Amino acid sequence: MNRAATKGDDRRAALLEALDHHLRDAGPDASLEAINVADLSRRAGVTRSAFYFYFDNKAAAVAALMEEMYDDAWDAADLDGADDEGMQLRVTSAIRAIFRGWSHRTHLYRAMLEARAGNPAVREQWDSFQESFVVVLAAVIEGERTAGVAPAGADPTAVATALLDLNDRTLERLVHAPADFDWDAHVEAVVHIWLASIYGRTA
């Protein structure tokens, strides 16, 4: 094992952990602009120069922190896996799992919205992530139609893109929704739209 590489990985992980804690502690009014890199580095136990060794800027650090959420989203979706569940049930479970996971990390999604709005590289990374989901979902839709489970309809890629745009807007609403917002009802409405769009029915 390369001890230097391991030490570097530990420093990078410490910076990301410090950023995650900072975003969580700062509350809904926090902004990337207000984050002090020197303070963040001290919290991670590294130098300020170490931060810029691993990340070009704060937006890039947020994008790196998002990577583990991308993995969680893939695991939650698992639409290209194989088990005994019907695909309709798996789609329903995946949507609920994705939103449930993000509901515990609204601080990170809020930072990501700011980062992708102001940083082209982060925006490109997010778009690439979305496109990877579009490809999988479009294949699912086409497969369900071929199997006779779902009716013919609009272009599968267009349908997949529209549904993922809906998810993106729903997550943005999660970040900014008032405390009394009926989140469960909203998620079930999103599930309804997904199933109706793919299967022409919801049950």
Side-chain angles (χ1 to χ4, degrees), residues 64 79 154 200:
L79 296 181

Side-chain angles (χ1 to χ4, degrees), residues 4 37 51 65 68 85 102 133 143 158 164 176:
V37 171
F51 178 91
L65 192 56
E68 65 181 70
E85 280 191 328
W102 277 110
F133 265 113
L164 288 167
H176 299 296

Side-chain angles (χ1 to χ4, degrees), residues 2-203:
N2 187 321
R3 295 184 62 187
T6 301
K7 186 175 182 180
D9 291 343
D10 289 345
R11 288 174 175 173
R12 184 178 186 276
L15 283 165
L16 291 178
E17 183 177 1
L19 175 59
D20 188 46
H21 283 306
H22 179 90
L23 292 170
R24 192 186 297 275
D25 295 344
D29 296 326
S31 68
L32 287 180
E33 184 66 28
I35 294 177
N36 185 296
V37 171
D39 291 341
L40 191 67
S41 300
R42 279 194 296 271
R43 186 169 190 168
V46 302
T47 63
R48 185 175 184 275
S49 61
F51 178 91
Y52 289 107
F53 177 81
Y54 296 108
F55 311 108
D56 289 339
N57 48 50
K58 290 176 284 189
V62 169
L65 192 56
M66 287 288 297
E67 290 177 4
E68 65 181 70
M69 292 304 297
Y70 296 163
D71 292 339
D72 289 346
W74 271 116
D75 292 342
D78 192 29
L79 296 181
D80 54 357
D83 57 30
D84 295 331
E85 280 191 328
M87 183 57 72
Q88 185 169 340
L89 179 58
R90 290 173 65 187
V91 167
T92 301
S93 298
I95 298 167
R96 290 172 178 156
I98 288 170
F99 290 133
R100 183 168 58 249
W102 277 110
S103 69
H104 300 300
R105 303 196 73 177
T106 54
H107 62 288
L108 176 55
Y109 199 80
R110 185 181 301 111
M112 190 280 299
L113 289 172
E114 183 181 349
R116 82 182 192 195
N119 188 292
V122 173
R123 179 69 200 192
E124 182 178 348
Q125 179 177 337
W126 176 258
D127 288 345
S128 177
F129 168 66
Q130 288 289 86
E131 181 58 30
S132 65
F133 265 113
V134 167
V135 172
V136 172
L137 180 56
V140 167
I141 294 170
E142 189 167 0
E144 293 292 84
R145 291 176 180 179
T146 300
V149 179
D155 175 71
T157 298
V159 174
T161 300
L163 290 174
L164 288 167
D165 282 347
L166 171 63
N167 278 18
D168 191 24
R169 181 65 183 92
T170 300
L171 288 169
E172 185 175 352
R173 178 178 288 277
L174 170 62
V175 168
H176 299 296
D180 60 351
F181 183 72
D182 192 342
W183 178 242
D184 289 336
H186 192 77
V187 169
E188 291 310 304
V190 172
V191 170
H192 175 93
I193 293 170
W194 267 69
L195 296 181
S197 298
I198 297 173
Y199 295 99
R201 62 187 188 280
T202 59

